[in-house]
Amino acid sequence: DLHSFPTRRSSDLWQTYVIGIVYMAKWFYPELFGDMDPDGIFQEFMDKFFRYDFDVASFQAGGGIAI
């Protein structure tokens, strides 16, 4: 239903896929992506693209996305 997300643009959806890929890369290949910070990338996306006041660290502390 397109009316479910009245404030979201369809172009915003690709960013959520990118974040998922970043976390999966870290989960499945920790030896290759050991220096990558998925939470930092997630926070940067929230700040730059979504412009939404969202604290990833607090989200993770509450049981968010586990790595």
Side-chain angles (χ1 to χ4, degrees):
D1 182 18
L2 292 176
H3 299 289
S4 298
F5 300 103
T7 60
R8 292 193 75 147
R9 298 180 311 262
S10 61
S11 61
D12 289 342
L13 297 177
W14 72 268
Q15 289 124 1
T16 57
Y17 293 116
V18 170
I19 296 302
I21 290 169
V22 168
Y23 277 99
M24 286 190 287
K26 181 82 173 194
W27 292 332
F28 295 133
Y29 303 102
E31 66 283 351
L32 293 175
F33 299 102
D35 60 341
M36 187 171 60
D37 177 20
D39 290 342
I41 295 168
F42 186 12
Q43 186 66 61
E44 185 176 348
F45 264 75
M46 293 304 290
D47 295 342
K48 285 186 176 182
F49 294 108
F50 289 100
R51 295 182 184 99
Y52 180 69
D53 186 22
F54 181 82
D55 183 21
V56 172
S58 294
F59 175 71
Q60 294 293 48
I65 303 171
I67 23 180

